[in-house]
Amino acid sequence: MKNFLYLILLLGIGLFSNELYSQEKPPLWMIKDYNRNFYEIQADFNKYWEGKVITKETPREERMGWKQFKRWEWFWEQRVAPSGVFPNPGHTYLEYAKYRELKSKQKDRKQAGDWTFLGPSSSSGGYWGLGRLNCVIEDPRYDGVTNKTIFVGAASGGVWKTTNAGQTWATTTDEFAALGIADIVINPSNPDIIYVATGDGDATDTYSFGVVKSTDGGNTWNLTGLQFQITNFTTCRRMVINPSNPNILLVATNNGLYRTTNAGTNWTSVQNGDFWDVKLNPADPNIVYAASTNQIYRSNNGGINWTSVSSISGSTRIALAVTPADSASVYALSSNGSGAYNGLYRSTNSGSSFSLVSSTPNILSSSATGTGTTGQGWYDLSIAIDPTNANIVYVGGVNIWKSTNGGANWSLRAYWTSSSSVQTVHADHHMLYFGGTNRLYTANDGGLDVSTNGGVNWTYLSSGVCVTQYYRIATSQTNPSVVIGGAQDNSSSLMTASSFTMTMATGDGMDQAINPSNGNTMFTSSYYGDLYRSTNGGSSWTDISEPNDNGGWVTPYVIDPNNHTTLVAGYTGVWKSTNNGTNWIKISTFTNSSYLNIVHVAPANSNYIYAGYSSALWRTTDGGSTWSQITLPFTSLSSLTTNHSNPDVIWITMSGYSSGNKVFKSTNGGQSWQNISGNLPNVPCNVVIYQPNTDNRVWVGTDIGVWYRGDTDPSWVDYNDGLPNVICNDLEIQYSANKLRLGTYGRGLWEATLPGAPNAPPSLTSPLNNASNTNKNLSLQWAPSLNACLLYT
């Protein structure tokens, strides 16, 4: 059978995220409705938060929903402008397939790109982490001695495997295109057979194309018969395998329950509905339970037929749990429309009926005492029952809570930030899972933690699971070993010659900067332009004053390339500081109410400053005294750079999905434009940078890789060999090392050698670095069930 090598999935990172809430109906329902216009959803959010000012000092409980929506808004606004219509979910999928087909036909092609992963690959855990995991499972043979195999699934980074209980990890899914993983199950009779439910079930960051299968322990993967049309917007959530007959599996999705009786070859839709969970009775797998938004279903014949046995008032999501300690016990954890604790329900008659156990305190809130009024149960809702005692219950939301009397009373067992009473474990617990009788795992937004003493102590296990989602990076020019990056959910991290360390505890890290002549001075930021400065190379940080203005989710700021104590930042206006951010003055004179996402100070002349957002661009040639608006050749402006010798030579990139409108060049300060998009794929372009001492070579980072082009290049050069297929958010050049640095949104930080010797004319290829990454014997085949092309080897 052919090895399924290029399992290409829609790069929907950031799709319809997780915290916006409403008392009337579940926020995730509203956000994920692709038939609605982006600007309608945005208007609903703005109406809800009207009159509420959110700052860094706002308590987490009062801003639950705000941050995650702003994250989603930032990602999509630049991709849907100006129409607000969401793209076909299969568009990026098909563009990648076409790109791989073209590449496979270049038989004499030499390798271009020698990408190396830099990190981060380790974390101390606690408040810190490496990235979001959705699920975890042990190999059925796990004994902690001869077998220590664990699998985890990331929200956008694929499947990862350890064979030594978390000391080291590896992935075989980089060609899955930053695949979201909802769940993993293993055949107990033959543990080399593994099934993966694809997609990000909790946040819908990536959509599912069905279930994939490995028969060699996860080394290679193949499609099963459950292959969703990519236009269906179907997302897998949970999956179970019948231990008595492992050919039978059930998958819960937002479009119903699916069942196979022949190990995945064929599947049948057995129940319609929006399902969140499915569980088997531990003593009799013919008894199956499933949960939708507000109902619990039961099957007596292995999932063929279903009956609703309980309807839970006010519920918008339900998670289920069973235990071999008492096969008659079934627990149902419910959250309401504001994401708060709606109640814990228990059945003692194998799911025939359920009774409310408790509905207070609010164990789904961020509060350590459960006194909050909201929560985010629509984003993280998990429950596990002790395998030896059916009255010991664990619930995971923002924090982890424990009950020893069947859910009647609760005690805090893990808290998202520092606490004097319990250990700090990263927030947002997507799966609680028991391995053996005493290993309680949590897959959360920071990674994987385990407790072996009932939640008293926790150990971080996922160092080596490299799935960090970077927004922006900055590289030091005085020390090539230093890079700083801002990441989603996991603050900012500083790379030095010896390690990666986390910097400020900002929750989400945003734009970064390092003084080009004094690497000890660096800057990091959080959302909405909350700025911090270090003067000792990142050892300590000071919260500095920001301009008296509103900034965007990722607020741009730059160090003047000719005066390194001067900063220029873009909020709704352009602001300047001449003393490393201590004081600020507004230098823009144009009228603007939108958040700027571009600020650029020309290296050739610091009086030339460009500032703009998706549909507008301004420039000054006198340091800010006067400004003129530049007519853009297209909308969805995402990035800008200039020639280092001539500030009137500009390159801009466009996000969005308009074919042939990706990169434009002007040689007269934006008075006229030349479209140089050429052969670039029709996916969003996110960043452009200029490489000096070349023939006007510029580099672009897109949603599916990195390309470059100079004046002497007939077309854009694909520079992706060795690089995972992942969204490329930011690019930087480290000149003394002749390296290109890349911040990805899902697979961390990477670098490659710049083609050609430093300060020498460019070449089209770089030396072959890894023969295993060359394309050999590739064939492209059309998959009608996926409405897409797949590449095989």
Side-chain angles (χ1 to χ4, degrees):
M1 183 165 52
K2 295 181 179 179
N3 292 332
F4 183 55
L5 178 60
Y6 295 107
L7 192 55
I8 311 156
L9 176 66
L10 160 68
L11 282 172
I13 308 298
L15 270 170
F16 302 119
S17 197
N18 29 38
E19 283 190 28
L20 177 62
Y21 56 85
S22 163
Q23 295 292 344
E24 287 73 32
K25 71 176 186 176
L28 195 56
W29 289 1
M30 181 182 70
I31 297 173
K32 65 184 282 189
D33 185 356
Y34 283 90
N35 295 318
R36 301 189 70 206
N37 188 281
F38 168 85
Y39 296 111
E40 294 175 359
I41 299 172
Q42 186 183 56
D44 284 347
F45 176 86
N46 292 335
K47 182 178 180 180
Y48 181 91
W49 288 94
E50 187 176 5
K52 303 174 185 178
V53 178
I54 303 299
T55 68
K56 61 184 178 182
E57 287 82 18
T58 304
R60 181 184 176 114
E61 186 70 25
E62 296 178 18
R63 54 181 167 85
M64 292 184 74
W66 175 87
K67 188 184 81 166
Q68 304 293 22
F69 180 87
K70 286 297 180 182
R71 191 163 70 188
W72 169 87
E73 179 187 47
W74 166 83
F75 184 89
W76 277 110
E77 188 165 26
Q78 56 191 322
R79 286 169 168 78
V80 301
S83 68
V85 176
F86 291 100
N88 185 310
H91 180 90
T92 303
Y93 184 111
L94 294 171
E95 284 297 310
Y96 184 69
K98 289 191 293 184
Y99 151 64
R100 296 301 310 189
E101 179 186 20
L102 178 64
K103 195 170 185 175
S104 68
K105 292 179 178 179
Q106 298 173 350
K107 297 181 179 180
D108 58 345
R109 177 186 180 276
K110 295 181 180 180
Q111 181 163 338
D114 59 349
W115 291 98
T116 301
F117 177 72
L118 296 180
S121 60
S122 64
S123 172
S124 58
Y127 180 87
W128 310 107
L130 294 175
R132 175 156 66 97
L133 300 181
N134 281 339
C135 56
V136 54
I137 190 170
E138 287 184 350
D139 187 302
R141 298 164 294 189
Y142 189 107
D143 58 13
V145 180
T146 59
N147 188 300
K148 302 179 182 180
T149 300
I150 308 168
F151 293 87
V152 294
S156 61
V159 177
W160 293 74
K161 176 182 179 180
T162 177
T163 58
N164 50 24
Q167 294 181 46
T168 58
W169 295 83
T171 182
T172 58
T173 57
D174 271 347
E175 295 298 337
F176 277 36
L179 175 64
I181 307 298
D183 208 357
I184 306 169
V185 297
I186 302 175
N187 184 328
S189 302
N190 183 357
D192 284 334
I193 299 176
I194 305 165
Y195 299 86
V196 169
T198 65
D200 177 21
D202 277 347
T204 328
D205 276 1
T206 47
Y207 274 90
S208 172
F209 57 89
V211 174
V212 295
K213 178 180 179 180
S214 174
T215 59
D216 55 10
N219 292 324
T220 60
W221 301 89
N222 296 274
L223 289 167
T224 68
L226 188 61
Q227 301 170 23
F228 301 130
Q229 295 290 334
I230 54 178
T231 55
N232 282 353
F233 302 111
T234 300
T235 300
C236 294
R237 285 163 175 164
R238 288 288 176 249
M239 179 167 52
V240 290
I241 187 168
N242 188 319
S244 301
N245 183 355
N247 289 326
I248 299 176
L249 292 90
L250 284 153
V251 179
T253 81
N254 64 333
N255 280 331
L257 297 170
Y258 292 83
R259 184 175 187 264
T260 178
T261 59
N262 53 13
T265 301
N266 305 105
W267 296 77
T268 304
S269 175
V270 291
Q271 180 66 43
N272 294 327
D274 184 3
F275 283 90
W276 284 97
D277 208 350
V278 59
K279 291 290 187 291
L280 300 176
N281 183 290
D284 183 359
N286 285 314
I287 302 175
V288 192
Y289 316 105
S292 65
T293 56
N294 61 0
Q295 293 190 70
I296 302 171
Y297 292 78
R298 186 179 190 269
S299 172
N300 294 322
N301 55 8
I304 299 173
N305 303 109
W306 294 86
T307 302
S308 176
V309 295
S310 181
S311 180
I312 299 178
S313 177
S315 177
T316 58
R317 178 176 175 178
I318 299 171
L320 301 174
V322 295
T323 174
D326 179 8
S327 61
S329 286
V330 187
Y331 285 90
L333 173 66
S334 169
S335 65
N336 64 25
S338 63
Y341 184 44
N342 193 56
L344 181 72
Y345 295 78
R346 183 177 184 180
S347 171
T348 56
N349 54 13
S350 299
S352 295
S353 62
F354 285 80
S355 300
L356 177 66
V357 179
S358 69
S359 58
T360 60
N362 183 9
I363 56 176
L364 299 184
S365 73
S366 62
S367 166
T369 58
T371 56
T373 59
T374 62
Q376 47 190 52
W378 31 263
Y379 172 58
D380 40 40
L381 190 72
S382 54
I383 180 173
I385 313 302
D386 191 294
T388 63
N389 187 335
N391 288 316
I392 298 178
V393 186
Y394 297 86
V395 164
V398 178
N399 304 306
I400 297 176
W401 294 76
K402 178 180 180 179
S403 174
T404 58
N405 57 7
N409 304 102
W410 297 94
S411 60
L412 188 67
R413 288 272 47 92
Y415 191 53
W416 68 277
T417 188
S418 59
S419 168
S420 59
S421 60
V422 297
Q423 187 173 335
T424 300
V425 178
H426 202 288
D428 302 332
H429 303 274
H430 297 275
M431 176 181 277
L432 292 176
Y433 163 80
F434 267 102
T437 58
N438 71 331
R439 293 182 299 276
L440 176 61
Y441 295 92
T442 168
N444 54 58
D445 275 4
L448 182 70
D449 295 83
V450 66
S451 174
T452 57
N453 57 5
V456 176
N457 303 107
W458 297 88
T459 301
Y460 187 76
L461 289 184
S462 53
S463 285
V465 181
C466 309
V467 292
T468 302
Q469 295 169 293
Y470 278 121
Y471 287 109
R472 297 288 184 266
I473 63 170
T475 189
S476 172
Q477 296 303 334
T478 60
N479 184 344
S481 299
V482 174
V483 182
I484 188 169
Q488 181 173 300
D489 287 321
N490 290 282
S491 300
S492 296
S493 54
L494 178 67
M495 184 189 83
T496 64
S498 58
S499 65
F500 264 88
T501 56
M502 299 300 159
T503 57
M504 289 298 300
T506 56
D508 292 82
M510 299 300 178
D511 209 355
Q512 316 288 313
I514 302 176
N515 187 310
S517 57
N518 179 5
N520 285 322
T521 300
M522 54 182 63
F523 300 86
T524 187
S525 65
S526 184
Y527 47 81
Y528 273 40
D530 186 11
L531 298 174
Y532 302 85
R533 178 182 65 217
S534 174
T535 58
N536 53 15
S539 296
S540 61
W541 295 84
T542 301
D543 187 352
I544 61 177
S545 62
E546 296 89 32
N548 184 23
D549 197 357
N550 297 317
W553 178 245
V554 182
T555 298
Y557 61 95
V558 294
I559 297 174
D560 186 324
N562 302 301
N563 187 340
H564 300 160
T565 59
T566 296
L567 275 72
V568 178
Y571 289 73
T572 59
V574 181
W575 294 75
K576 182 177 182 179
S577 171
T578 58
N579 53 11
N580 282 318
T582 301
N583 305 105
W584 296 86
I585 59 170
K586 187 175 182 179
I587 62 172
S588 59
T589 57
F590 54 82
T591 301
N592 175 50
S593 59
S594 298
Y595 301 133
L596 300 174
N597 66 350
I598 290 173
V599 165
H600 176 83
V601 179
N605 186 336
S606 296
N607 285 321
Y608 283 68
I609 303 172
Y610 294 85
Y613 61 95
S614 61
S615 58
L617 179 64
W618 294 269
R619 85 162 182 166
T620 177
T621 61
D622 54 17
S625 297
T626 59
W627 292 78
S628 59
Q629 187 164 0
I630 296 173
T631 300
L632 290 171
F634 198 70
T635 57
S636 300
L637 177 67
S638 58
S639 184
L640 180 149
T641 192
T642 60
N643 183 294
H644 285 202
S645 301
N646 185 345
D648 285 321
V649 178
I650 318 167
W651 292 264
I652 58 174
T653 57
M654 298 295 172
S655 189
Y657 300 89
S658 176
S659 180
N661 292 303
K662 302 303 167 187
V663 185
F664 295 84
K665 178 181 179 181
S666 174
T667 58
N668 52 17
Q671 295 180 49
S672 61
W673 296 92
Q674 175 190 1
N675 189 336
I676 60 169
S677 302
N679 60 310
L680 285 173
N682 184 17
V683 296
C685 281
N686 306 313
V687 60
V688 59
I689 61 171
Y690 173 79
Q691 184 183 352
N693 302 314
T694 63
D695 62 336
N696 279 322
R697 179 187 297 163
V698 291
W699 294 82
V700 296
T702 77
D703 271 9
I704 60 173
V706 175
W707 277 258
Y708 75 80
R709 186 176 187 180
D711 290 342
T712 58
D713 297 317
S715 60
W716 290 91
V717 180
D718 158 18
Y719 208 68
N720 294 303
D721 288 324
L723 184 69
N725 187 27
V726 64
I727 289 179
C728 302
N729 263 349
D730 204 7
L731 289 165
E732 291 250 333
I733 294 175
Q734 210 298 320
Y735 294 104
S736 63
N738 201 41
K739 296 292 186 180
L740 181 68
R741 301 267 168 76
L742 168 65
T744 75
Y745 195 65
R747 283 290 277 110
L749 178 68
W750 293 73
E751 76 170 9
T753 304
L754 289 166
N759 302 314
S763 63
L764 289 179
T765 60
S766 61
L768 183 64
N769 181 58
N770 184 354
S772 65
N773 285 326
T774 57
N775 298 307
K776 302 175 182 178
N777 302 320
L778 294 180
S779 64
L780 187 76
Q781 298 184 17
W782 180 254
S785 60
L786 291 177
N787 192 31
C789 294
L790 300 175
L791 281 167
Y792 291 84
T793 182

